[in-house]
Amino acid sequence: MIQTDAIIVGAGPVGLFAVFELGLLGLRTHVIDVLDKPGGQCAEFYPEKPIYDIPGLPACTGQELTDNLMRQIRPFEPVFHFGTCAQRLEELPGSRWRLTTDDGLVFEAPAIVVAAGGGSFTPKKPPIPGIERFEGHGVDYAVRRIEALRGQRVVISGGGDSALDWTIALRDVASRVTLVHRRTEFRAAPDSVRRMMALAEQGQIDFLLGEVNSVQADGSELCGIGVRTEGGLVDLPCDRFLPFFGLTMKMGPVGEFGLALQGGRIVVDTEKFESSRRGVFAIGDINHYPGKLKLILSGFHEAALMAQQAFRYARPEERLLFQYTTTSTRLKEKLETT
Ligand code: FAD
């Protein structure tokens, strides 16, 4: 069980900036995200598109904003837990909360910050009959532990960044990697496509043009997949099948946290951005209040006000001092390590 000052659900831009605002007040944070990387929508939906409305940054891409936020919060040493979904929230005596994730991590803190954006990203599943029988043992929609794939015959399907990046990354881990895609055009970054093609030419991976249409079993174990190609049906023996067909967003488990909702968003006040339950805050795209604008800069402002109240819960004995980063010697020393 992990004890901390504040648990942040969501490592999107707003969750990341919450680390900064809480850190300025001396609060320690753990950040949970169901994805395997930070950045939320910025990193997942538009990593290479420029954003023009971040104050003081005339233009930066979704990935650059994420990278800068990660650099900015480094001095506060947040602890990240990627690839795990915040599942259950329970109130404990003494104004504390317990949060449990889908893979059994347990956290306790006086402040919970829900920065879950449009909700948890969930994989789009391919319409292959019987695929659900192998989910979690043979078929996975994300790579949670690379070591679990060591020495395995892996088939990856898809044409986006995840499919290409994992094809390239797993070639040294898996005994064989085959990428299956139904077209010769890819949504992935052109550089990744070039690298994948080069690896295929060198015989380090296999690339098959076609569409996966069946999963094959040996008893209860996955033993291969069937691919419809121009030349007919091809059977590909494999131990692991990783379909990467993109993600959709659903509110997911935070909708079951027992917080007042409106239109699928968490209702908050605009003084502290606290939900209907004391000590549970909601900031960024996930919250609702009159006049809400789903913009990154709104989430940043919400994080600053949330942190003030979270401090009062985490440090009830201490006085909250308002300090500028420009004039506080303590903060300057900390932040100059960035
Ligand atoms: P998100 O970025 O959605 O991040 C939330 C994170 O929480 C996700 O990583 C998710 O996996 C995680 N999560 C959710 N539930 C759970 C759970 N139960 N357990 C673990 N993790 C969970 N905004 C602007 O200000 N300017 C722009 O120019 C702009 N352009 C955009 C262009 C596009 C194409 C899109 C889609 C959005 C754009 N936006 C823009 C909106 C902006 O991206 C969002 O306002 C912003 O991402 C919200 O940040 P967030 O941190 O609240 O949520």
Side-chain angles (χ1 to χ4, degrees):
M1 198 261 296
I2 297 164
Q3 303 247 18
T4 188
D5 292 321
I7 304 157
I8 301 172
V9 178
V14 177
L16 295 180
F17 196 63
V19 171
F20 185 83
E21 289 296 327
L22 292 160
L24 285 183
L25 302 180
L27 302 192
R28 292 162 302 143
T29 47
H30 280 246
V31 187
I32 301 167
D33 204 298
V34 69
L35 295 180
D36 58 8
K37 60 179 189 298
Q41 294 175 51
C42 298
E44 201 55 49
F45 291 149
Y46 55 101
E48 296 190 354
K49 277 207 187 113
I51 312 172
Y52 298 103
D53 55 353
I54 304 297
L57 278 179
C60 71
T61 65
Q63 192 55 51
E64 284 165 353
L65 178 66
T66 305
D67 294 343
N68 279 333
L69 284 165
M70 289 297 280
R71 227 181 82 214
Q72 191 170 20
I73 65 179
R74 199 181 303 144
F76 300 113
E77 298 172 10
V79 185
F80 285 96
H81 306 268
F82 289 115
T84 183
C85 185
Q87 194 83 27
R88 204 170 69 243
L89 184 64
E90 296 158 78
E91 193 164 5
L92 302 174
S95 305
R96 289 183 71 77
W97 293 94
R98 177 178 295 148
L99 189 123
T100 312
T101 67
D102 62 348
D103 53 2
L105 292 176
V106 182
F107 301 85
E108 285 184 13
I112 303 288
V113 182
V114 183
S120 54
F121 285 94
T122 39
K124 289 184 191 160
K125 300 184 180 181
I128 301 171
I131 191 167
E132 58 290 338
R133 269 204 301 145
F134 302 105
E135 286 172 359
H137 59 105
V139 173
D140 288 293
Y141 302 102
V143 177
R144 288 195 170 194
R145 249 181 13 95
I146 291 180
E147 274 311 303
L149 300 172
R150 186 164 296 281
Q152 307 263 297
R153 297 165 300 171
V154 176
V155 174
I156 294 175
S157 174
D161 285 314
S162 296
L164 275 281
D165 290 351
W166 282 116
T167 299
I168 295 165
L170 290 174
R171 73 181 193 282
D172 296 329
V173 177
S175 68
R176 194 72 195 162
V177 181
T178 306
L179 176 69
V180 179
H181 185 46
R182 61 195 163 88
R183 298 184 296 152
T184 45
E185 291 82 46
F186 293 84
R187 276 180 296 111
D191 183 53
S192 308
V193 178
R194 271 193 296 276
R195 287 182 61 199
M196 184 280 291
M197 289 297 192
L199 291 172
E201 269 167 34
Q202 293 157 15
Q204 294 194 44
I205 60 147
D206 295 312
F207 172 57
L208 182 62
L209 198 59
E211 196 162 2
V212 179
N213 71 347
S214 66
V215 279
Q216 294 153 2
D218 179 5
S220 60
E221 299 298 308
L222 178 81
C223 67
I225 55 155
V227 184
R228 193 186 302 115
T229 69
E230 275 201 348
L233 289 178
V234 173
D235 286 337
L236 266 185
C238 68
D239 309 300
R240 297 294 187 111
F241 174 42
L242 309 176
F244 289 121
F245 289 162
L247 299 163
T248 52
M249 293 188 87
K250 285 193 192 143
M251 190 175 200
V254 299
E256 312 295 317
F257 281 3
L259 312 171
L261 303 177
Q262 185 169 329
R265 308 275 128 193
I266 300 170
V267 177
V268 291
D269 64 65
T270 50
E271 184 194 347
K272 312 180 291 297
F273 296 93
E274 195 166 21
S275 72
S276 56
R277 301 185 79 179
R278 187 181 183 276
V280 183
F281 301 86
I283 56 175
D285 279 14
I286 194 73
N287 72 14
H288 171 82
Y289 55 86
K292 167 74 183 180
L293 280 180
K294 284 192 194 175
L295 284 176
I296 295 164
L297 70 88
S298 315
F300 288 172
H301 158 80
E302 294 161 14
L305 293 193
M306 169 282 295
Q308 304 281 307
Q309 187 65 15
F311 176 88
R312 294 187 181 101
Y313 294 147
R315 302 272 192 277
E317 312 298 324
E318 292 177 31
R319 200 159 65 88
L320 177 61
L321 274 184
F322 178 79
Q323 287 181 302
Y324 290 124
T325 54
T326 39
T327 48
S328 156
T329 323
R330 182 184 64 82
L331 290 177
K332 270 175 83 176
E333 273 170 13
K334 190 141 193 114
L335 295 170
E336 269 163 13
T337 61
T338 313

